[in-house]
Amino acid sequence: MQWVNFLAKEAATHSLSLKQTAAFVKYFNTENLGKSEAKLAKKLNVDVTAFRKLMREVYGKFAQNYPELTISNSQGKLEKLQAYLSAKYNSELDVLKPLAAMKLLKSLVVRKRLQQEAWVARRICKFLGYIPLALELVGRYLDKMPDLSLETLLKQLEKKRLEYEAVVNANSLMPYEYGVSEAFELSWEQLDENAQGFGCLLSLCALADIPLSVETIEDNKKQKLWEEAIADLLELHLLQQKSKVIYHLNPLIRQLFQIKLEKSNEADETKTKFAAMMLEVAKLIPQQPNPEDIFNLTPHIPHIIEVATHLSQYLGDENLITLFTKLAWFYQSQGLYQQAETWLQQCIELTQNRLGLEHSYVVTSLNKLAGLYESTGRYSEAQALYQQVLELRKRLLGGNHLDVATSLNNLGLLYESTGRYKEAEPLLEQALELRKRLLGEEHTDVATSLSYLGLLYESTGRYKEAEPLYQQALELWKRLVGKEHPHVATSLNNLAALYCYTGRYSEAEPLFKQALELRKRLLGEEHIDVATSLNNLAQLYESTGRYSEAEPSYKQALELSKRLLGDNHPDVAISLNNLAALYRHRGRYRKAKPLFEQALTICERTLGVSHPTTMTVRANYANFLRETYH
C-alpha cells in the first residue's frame, strides 16, 4: 500500500471533508514533511489561518479514536499523529512473501490451471504486489472464468492499470491501491446492473459491520434482487459475510464502489434511497429504548450517523428532525447526554441553514434541545430556549395555538421543578385555559394540564386545591381512553402520592396497588413504569413502618430499573438511594454505604454535580456519614 493511498484511506475512515482531506494529505505526505505551514497553505490556495483551522479540525476527528491528540501543543499534536500514522501504516502493509502469495492463489484456483502457466502465475502475484485482497479478487475472478488463460488475465490487468493511472493522475486525491484497483475493475465488469447498483448502495454505509436482513423485506421482487446481488458480491469477494445477517465491506472496496457511484447518473437517486432506508431504521428507535432495543439497534447506528453526517441533504425537512431526534434519544436513554446534545445541536444548525431562523421546524428542534437541558439539570440554558420557543411560536402562530399552550406548559413545568412557583403558576393556568378554549373540556391535553397544575399546587403545599384537579384528570382519562389505559395508572399514582404527602396512607395504598397492577397488565412486568410503581409502594411501606414489605419492593424496583436502563442511569441511582435510605433507617449501615456511593457516582457522571437529584443524593449520603461516624 502506497503511503499516499494509506493517507486517503485514513481520511475516509475518520470522515474528513474534502478540504480537510486535502490539507491532511498534503501535511503528512512524505515530500512535504518539514515544509512550513505557509508553503503548504499556498499549495492548497488557502491562507495560513484557514490551513491551521483545517488541521485543528483534522486533529479533532482523529482524537475521537486517539485521545493523546487532545494535548494543547500544536507541534506535539503533529508529532504524535505522525507517529500514530506511521505505526498503523507499518502494521497494515499486509504484504505476503512471494511463496505465500502463490500459496494463497493456489488455494483459490485449480492447481492444474496454475501449473500450466506457473511462470505467469508468479508474474501475476508480483503485479498485484503480493497483496492478499488483490489475490483474493483475482482468484475469485478466475474461478468464474474457467477458460481464461493466465496470460490473457495479466494483459487485462496491465490494461486496467494504464487506464486507472490516467484517471488518478487527473485527480491527485483519488485513492489508488496498486493491484487491488485493477482486480476490482475486472470484478466490476462481471457484475450485472443489479449487483453493481447494490455494491454502490452499500458503499454509502459507514466503515462498520453492515446488518442486512433480507428476510424482513416485504416486497418479494426486491427481496429476490437483494439476495441475488449479495450472492454475486460474495462470490467475487467484493463483500464478506461475518454471520447470518452481518456483512463486511473492505474499506478500499468501499472507496472503489463510491468512485463508481459518483461517476454514474444514479448517484443522487442512490443517496436518496440510502438516506430513506436509514431513516426507516431510525424511526424504530423509541423515546425510551430498553436494553433489548439498544442491543438490536446498535449495529445500525453507525450507518444512521453516516446519513446524518454526510447525506443529510438527501432528507426532507421534517425527516431531518426525525433522524437527529431519534439519534439523540438513542444516546440520551443510555445517559450519554453529550452525544445526545451534539445531535440536537446539529439538527438546529442544519434546519436553520436550510429553512431560516424563523421556521416551525427550527422551533421544534430548539424545543427538543431545551427538553434535554432540562432533564440534565441545565435549567438556565433550558429556560432561555423555552422562552425563545414560546416567543417564536407566538410570532409565527399567534397567541391562540396549541403549540403555544405546549410552550407555556413546558416553561411552567421548568419553573415548578426549580421551585419558582410564582412564575410557574400563571403559565400552567394559561396553558390549561388555552387548551380548554381550543379543544373543549373533554380532551386528553386538558387532562394533562389538570395534572400538571395539580402537581404545582401539591409542590406548594396547597393539597386541597391539588386534590380536585387530580381527581378531575383521573375521571377525564377514564372517560376519554377507558379505565384500562397507562394514563389512568399515572393519574392513580399522582392521586396516591398526594394522599401520602397528607398522611392519608390507607387511601393511598389501594390506589398505588391499582396503578401497579394496571401497569403490569397493560405494559407487561418488564416496564420502567412498573419499576416506578414498585418504588412508590415501597416508599409508602417505609413511611408506615412496614420495613419488611418495603425492602423487597425497593429491590424489585432496583433490579427492574437495571435490567431496563442499564447500570448507569439516573433512575437506577434514585432506586439505589432509596434502598440505601431504608437500610440507614434500620441501622444496616454496612449495606447502606456502598449503595449511597454508587448512587452518587452515577448521578455525578450522568447528571452533573449541580443537578438537584445529585445534590439530594449527596445530602443524603452526607447525613448518613455524619450519623455513622460522629
Side-chain angles (χ1 to χ4, degrees):
M1 179 187 298
Q2 290 189 333
W3 175 250
V4 68
N5 295 327
F6 168 76
L7 292 177
K9 176 184 171 185
E10 283 296 297
T13 301
H14 291 82
S15 301
L16 302 189
S17 68
L18 288 176
K19 287 184 178 180
Q20 291 165 353
T21 298
F24 169 70
V25 172
K26 285 288 184 188
Y27 206 16
F28 289 96
N29 202 352
T30 307
E31 65 183 32
N32 293 325
L33 290 179
K35 287 186 179 179
S36 68
E37 290 180 337
K39 288 184 178 179
L40 294 173
K42 188 176 181 180
K43 281 191 172 187
L44 291 168
N45 293 319
V46 298
D47 59 35
V48 175
T49 303
F51 179 80
R52 287 173 179 166
K53 180 177 181 293
L54 285 169
M55 288 311 301
R56 283 197 300 272
E57 293 169 353
V58 168
Y59 289 133
K61 292 284 185 72
F62 275 89
Q64 294 175 15
N65 297 319
Y66 188 54
E68 287 85 346
L69 289 176
T70 55
I71 60 173
S72 58
N73 182 289
S74 60
Q75 185 61 32
K77 288 179 188 287
L78 170 62
E79 292 171 356
K80 283 187 176 292
L81 187 51
Q82 279 178 334
Y84 166 77
L85 292 169
S86 296
K88 189 170 183 182
Y89 176 65
N90 290 330
S91 67
E92 286 192 6
L93 283 175
D94 197 23
V95 175
L96 298 175
K97 298 290 186 182
L99 288 177
M102 276 297 293
K103 186 176 181 180
L104 175 57
L105 196 57
K106 286 176 182 177
S107 71
L108 299 167
V109 183
V110 176
R111 182 179 295 271
K112 183 179 178 182
R113 192 173 178 187
L114 290 180
Q115 288 174 340
Q116 290 173 346
E117 297 181 86
W119 175 245
V120 181
R122 285 193 288 272
R123 288 170 60 199
I124 288 173
C125 289
K126 183 178 180 180
F127 181 89
L128 297 175
Y130 306 110
I131 298 170
L133 176 58
L135 291 163
E136 185 82 41
L137 292 175
V138 164
R140 298 294 184 92
Y141 176 78
L142 283 169
D143 194 46
K144 282 183 67 72
M145 307 285 286
D147 298 324
L148 182 69
S149 72
L150 298 190
E151 185 69 41
T152 302
L153 170 68
L154 182 57
K155 288 179 180 178
Q156 289 178 345
L157 289 169
E158 290 170 342
K159 182 181 178 183
K160 293 297 179 188
R161 175 162 296 180
L162 291 173
E163 293 172 355
Y164 217 85
E165 282 179 336
V167 177
V168 170
N169 290 334
N171 184 356
S172 60
L173 291 179
M174 186 172 175
Y176 181 33
E177 183 64 52
Y178 281 97
V180 176
S181 297
E182 297 89 349
F184 172 82
E185 284 296 321
L186 294 181
S187 300
W188 170 265
E189 292 172 356
Q190 286 297 304
L191 298 173
D192 63 16
E193 187 176 341
N194 173 48
Q196 288 179 347
F198 192 72
C200 290
L201 182 72
L202 291 184
S203 75
L204 297 173
C205 290
L207 284 163
D209 288 343
I210 303 171
L212 286 173
S213 182
V214 179
E215 296 172 359
T216 61
I217 300 174
E218 295 181 1
D219 186 327
N220 291 333
K221 183 180 179 181
K222 182 180 177 182
Q223 185 184 76
K224 185 179 179 182
L225 287 172
W226 276 35
E227 287 174 345
E228 291 173 352
I230 290 171
D232 289 345
L233 293 172
L234 289 172
E235 187 179 16
L236 287 168
H237 197 65
L238 295 171
L239 182 69
Q240 292 84 51
Q241 186 168 14
K242 297 184 71 173
S243 64
K244 185 180 179 182
V245 294
I246 300 295
Y247 296 82
H248 173 73
L249 191 64
N250 180 279
L252 185 55
I253 298 298
R254 173 179 179 263
Q255 284 185 321
L256 293 168
F257 269 125
Q258 284 183 347
I259 292 169
K260 291 294 185 184
L261 176 62
E262 293 303 328
K263 288 181 177 179
S264 73
N265 296 323
E266 288 80 37
D268 286 342
E269 182 183 342
T270 302
K271 291 174 183 178
T272 301
K273 179 181 177 182
F274 181 75
M277 286 168 52
M278 291 302 101
L279 174 68
E280 290 307 308
V281 177
K283 286 178 179 179
L284 299 176
I285 302 173
Q287 188 163 4
Q288 292 181 323
N290 58 40
E292 184 180 356
D293 293 326
I294 291 168
F295 177 81
N296 292 331
L297 289 163
T298 294
H300 299 276
I301 295 301
H303 311 294
I304 297 173
I305 289 175
E306 190 72 14
V307 171
T309 307
H310 300 296
L311 300 171
S312 60
Q313 66 269 36
Y314 294 96
L315 292 168
D317 298 341
E318 185 176 0
N319 291 334
L320 188 69
I321 293 178
T322 300
L323 188 88
F324 281 84
T325 301
K326 294 289 188 173
L327 276 173
W329 286 355
F330 178 80
Y331 288 107
Q332 185 176 350
S333 66
Q334 301 172 72
L336 301 171
Y337 300 114
Q338 188 173 353
Q339 288 94 321
E341 180 185 357
T342 297
W343 292 117
L344 291 177
Q345 286 176 332
Q346 286 190 34
C347 184
I348 292 169
E349 183 180 347
L350 286 169
T351 50
Q352 285 180 338
N353 290 339
R354 183 184 291 190
L355 304 168
L357 297 179
E358 296 202 355
H359 191 280
S360 60
Y361 289 160
V362 175
V363 177
T364 300
S365 300
L366 290 166
N367 192 66
K368 291 181 185 298
L369 183 59
L372 176 67
Y373 286 155
E374 181 181 7
S375 68
T376 53
R378 296 163 65 177
Y379 296 122
S380 60
E381 293 168 271
Q383 179 186 331
L385 286 180
Y386 276 143
Q387 289 173 333
Q388 183 182 353
V389 168
L390 177 59
E391 293 306 313
L392 280 169
R393 281 177 168 167
K394 284 181 176 179
R395 192 155 63 244
L396 293 172
L397 305 171
N400 289 311
H401 195 280
L402 287 174
D403 286 350
V404 172
T406 299
S407 280
L408 289 165
N409 184 73
N410 290 343
L411 189 56
L413 287 174
L414 175 69
Y415 288 148
E416 189 278 332
S417 64
T418 53
R420 297 162 65 179
Y421 303 121
K422 287 185 179 179
E423 294 171 85
E425 187 170 345
L427 296 178
L428 293 176
E429 288 176 342
Q430 286 177 55
L432 174 60
E433 291 306 313
L434 188 52
R435 283 172 167 170
K436 282 183 177 180
R437 188 164 64 250
L438 294 173
L439 301 169
E441 300 275 345
E442 299 283 310
H443 194 278
T444 54
D445 285 357
V446 173
T448 300
S449 275
L450 287 167
S451 296
Y452 287 147
L453 193 56
L455 174 65
L456 173 72
Y457 291 155
E458 179 186 308
S459 299
T460 53
R462 295 151 67 183
Y463 301 121
K464 287 185 178 179
E465 294 175 77
E467 185 175 348
L469 293 182
Y470 279 151
Q471 289 173 334
Q472 287 177 53
L474 175 59
E475 293 307 313
L476 191 50
W477 280 119
K478 286 179 178 178
R479 284 199 303 276
L480 295 172
V481 298
K483 294 181 179 180
E484 295 283 310
H485 195 279
H487 288 323
V488 172
T490 300
S491 275
L492 287 166
N493 189 75
N494 291 343
L495 190 55
L498 175 68
Y499 290 155
C500 275
Y501 289 134
T502 54
R504 297 156 66 182
Y505 300 115
S506 60
E507 293 175 78
E509 185 172 346
L511 297 184
F512 273 143
K513 287 182 174 177
Q514 283 181 54
L516 174 59
E517 292 307 313
L518 193 53
R519 282 170 167 170
K520 283 182 177 179
R521 192 162 60 248
L522 296 173
L523 305 172
E525 301 273 347
E526 297 284 311
H527 194 280
I528 196 61
D529 286 354
V530 172
T532 300
S533 278
L534 286 166
N535 185 73
N536 291 340
L537 198 54
Q539 288 179 317
L540 180 141
Y541 291 148
E542 183 179 357
S543 300
T544 54
R546 296 152 66 182
Y547 301 122
S548 60
E549 293 175 81
E551 184 177 349
S553 289
Y554 274 140
K555 284 182 174 179
Q556 286 180 56
L558 174 60
E559 292 307 313
L560 186 53
S561 295
K562 282 183 175 180
R563 279 201 303 279
L564 295 174
L565 304 172
D567 292 337
N568 295 301
H569 194 279
D571 287 357
V572 172
I574 292 170
S575 282
L576 286 164
N577 175 80
N578 292 343
L579 185 56
L582 175 67
Y583 287 148
R584 171 193 169 196
H585 294 151
R586 301 191 69 186
R588 297 163 70 179
Y589 301 124
R590 287 186 179 180
K591 285 197 168 187
K593 188 173 186 291
L595 299 184
F596 273 132
E597 290 173 343
Q598 289 176 50
L600 184 57
T601 299
I602 293 170
C603 285
E604 288 181 341
R605 183 166 57 243
T606 59
L607 299 174
V609 295
S610 301
H611 192 278
T613 301
T614 305
M615 295 170 72
T616 299
V617 173
R618 188 184 297 115
N620 290 343
Y621 185 38
N623 291 333
F624 164 79
L625 292 176
R626 279 193 292 271
E627 182 179 311
T628 53
Y629 292 101
H630 295 285

